Amino acid sequence: MSDPVPERTSPLAAVHSELGASFTDFAGWQMPVRYTSDLAEHAAVRSAAGIFDLSHMAEILVYGRDAGRFLDFALAGRLSSIDVLQAKYSLLLTEAGGILDDVVVYRLGDTTYLVVANAGNRDAAAAALSERAAGFEVTVDDQSDDYALIAVQGPNSRIILEQTTGFSELSVPLDELRYYRATDGFFNGVPLIIARTGYTGEDGFELYLRADAAVLLWRALEEAGEAHGLVPAGLASRDTLRLEAGMPLYGHELGTETFPVQAALGRVVALSKEGDFVGRAAVEAGPADDARVLVGLTAEGRRAGRAGYPVMSGDAEVGTVTSGALSPTLGHPIMMAYVDPAASTPGTELAVDVRGTRIPATVTTLPFYRREK
Amino acid sequence: MSDKTTLKYTPEHEWLEIDGDIATVGITDYAADKLGDVVFVELPAVDSELASGTVVGEIESTKSVGELFAPVNGSVVEANAAVVDDSALVNSDPFGDGWLIKVRFTELPSNLLSWDEYSALVGE
């Protein structure tokens, strides 16, 4: 019998325990699933703000003279052309055109990038990047163990950050920071990066810094957030928030058997960029014409289809649900599903087999929820 | 709210309050916490016959789906309409207003747990 994989804990674990969190295993990490109530945490992010610990995410530094050219080859996007302190959502493809991971890439300097990968794909992403680095003057440096990641999401997130004490020398003032841009600076003398990014469909920020400074930062954010409705929010609310926002989750909507175009991520693949990149030939050839495509499904009542449930058109099974929940914001069930192209037109009436009961469901465009700007 | 220490428990995280040949059944606070916010409850109809160990209802949260197992052989004498209307009662008062069904049984199974045994099972 092999030894069990050791459970990994966040640098903020003691804070979560103190806050009364329930924990869940997530990709080998013990992470907070909720503090009080999934629905209350979800609602707080939509109406005020929530603070999330995302320290399980993987941070891989890529630096060296060829860093931009290397990422153009290793990833599906054109990363060499983004500005310093700009962020870009991208994909790590297999040679066969499947999705090995979805990542957010930050350009930290002319020749330095930060690739943020999913916790469960940390090793696969780091290994793929390292393998693809052959022939480039570049270093791939998995620093996941040294980084903490804290997200503040929700309409009040900007004022909370502006009132947080301890930030200094921010290269871009927070009120000038645009969506998918970042600023570097310091928190109590510790270097940090604040990005205007997130995974909830709300305005928000993600803050990266050394793991040993995470507790102080969390406390400072909570203190500033107290007057603005900030609540600690767990992974359960994060999942319903991202589902409402129509954001794909690796292992549910994305995987190595999925081509980007099936997941409506064709725009993420920069086919116009010069030179070869991993997966290019396969993506250009494309999936089969009848390959299933990602759609949204809405239903009435309170029962949602869950991952793996069949999607039916009459007696024919035409798809499979990949994520589903009763939408806390909208009050009705929402689902993402892969369905046959013939069943993918918005407005198409289908059904989801919910443990033997057919629930009528209507194909809809994603996202289900869009914040007012 | 029932006195937790006088109830019987199943390993499936249900509690039973025995009164003569009627068992009131609910899920424990441990199960309710694990599920998260309950958003949908489906209960068996009054007069339906239950076979111990079979799935007779569903308790759905935003995050997952829990099943209600029949803890005894018997027939349903009452299903809690309040919890069907307001499923949040399962979280807010699992041992009280969040009860699920009342069952008339002929015999109690031998594998029910005491409070101490159940507490040990869930590590509290």
Side-chain angles (χ1 to χ4, degrees), chain A residues 169-204:
Chain A
E169 295 177 55
L170 299 185
S171 55
V172 183
L174 290 169
D175 62 344
E176 290 174 20
L177 191 59
R178 288 153 55 198
Y179 188 56
Y180 259 67
R181 298 277 170 161
T183 174
D184 48 15
F186 292 87
F187 172 72
N188 285 346
V190 175
L192 99 159
I193 300 155
I194 302 176
R196 200 158 197 168
T197 52
Y199 192 56
T200 59
E202 296 299 330
D203 187 16

Side-chain angles (χ1 to χ4, degrees), chain B residues 38-51:
Chain B
V38 174
V39 295
F40 176 80
V41 172
E42 184 178 59
L43 299 176
V46 170
D47 290 338
S48 52
E49 295 294 321
L50 308 184

Side-chain angles (χ1 to χ4, degrees), chain B residues 46-85:
Chain B
V46 170
D47 290 338
S48 52
E49 295 294 321
L50 308 184
S52 178
T54 60
V55 174
V56 296
E58 290 183 349
I59 304 151
E60 199 166 333
S61 70
T62 50
K63 189 165 165 281
S64 57
V65 178
E67 292 173 324
L68 176 66
F69 292 88
V72 291
N73 292 322
S75 62
V76 177
V77 294
E78 194 178 348
N80 187 356
V83 86
V84 172
D85 288 344

Side-chain angles (χ1 to χ4, degrees), chain A residues 5-229:
Chain A
V5 178
E7 254 169 18
R8 312 205 43 204
T9 54
S10 159
L12 292 157
V15 172
H16 303 318
S17 292
E18 194 179 299
L19 290 167
S22 303
F23 290 87
T24 186
D25 177 82
F26 190 89
W29 288 72
Q30 280 291 300
M31 297 302 289
V33 63
R34 75 179 62 80
Y35 300 84
T36 55
S37 144
D38 307 336
L39 296 175
E41 291 161 26
H42 182 112
V45 173
R46 289 275 178 257
S47 64
I51 180 169
F52 298 83
D53 177 12
L54 306 174
S55 296
H56 56 297
M57 300 291 284
E59 290 86 7
I60 303 166
L61 267 186
V62 173
Y63 53 91
R65 197 186 65 186
D66 293 339
R69 206 165 62 83
F70 159 70
L71 288 174
D72 286 350
F73 170 72
L75 300 178
R78 188 189 283 117
L79 287 309
S80 61
S81 66
I82 66 173
D83 295 335
V84 172
L85 294 176
Q86 187 178 352
K88 194 175 178 72
Y89 178 76
S90 194
L91 298 170
L92 192 58
L93 299 179
T94 67
E95 284 286 355
I99 300 169
L100 195 60
D101 200 8
D102 63 330
V103 296
V104 175
V105 182
Y106 300 92
R107 187 172 198 163
L108 302 183
D110 283 339
T111 59
T112 304
Y113 292 79
L114 176 65
V115 178
V116 181
N118 285 295
N121 289 334
R122 172 190 176 173
D123 292 339
L129 289 172
S130 295
E131 280 166 24
R132 295 171 189 188
F136 292 95
E137 192 174 302
V138 71
T139 301
V140 175
D141 185 2
D142 181 356
Q143 298 206 344
S144 305
D145 293 334
D146 302 324
Y147 268 96
L149 171 56
I150 296 171
V152 179
Q153 299 280 300
N156 293 351
S157 53
R158 194 187 95 189
I159 190 162
I160 291 168
L161 258 71
E162 285 174 342
Q163 293 181 0
T164 300
T165 53
F167 295 136
S168 62
E169 295 177 55
L170 299 185
S171 55
V172 183
L174 290 169
D175 62 344
E176 290 174 20
L177 191 59
R178 288 153 55 198
Y179 188 56
Y180 259 67
R181 298 277 170 161
T183 174
D184 48 15
F186 292 87
F187 172 72
N188 285 346
V190 175
L192 99 159
I193 300 155
I194 302 176
R196 200 158 197 168
T197 52
Y199 192 56
T200 59
E202 296 299 330
D203 187 16
F205 299 84
E206 295 183 302
L207 299 91
Y208 298 83
L209 87 174
R210 248 173 30 211
D212 61 7
V215 172
L216 269 184
L217 176 59
W218 180 283
R219 301 257 192 240
L221 291 165
E222 276 205 313
E223 193 181 324
E226 205 177 336
H228 301 288

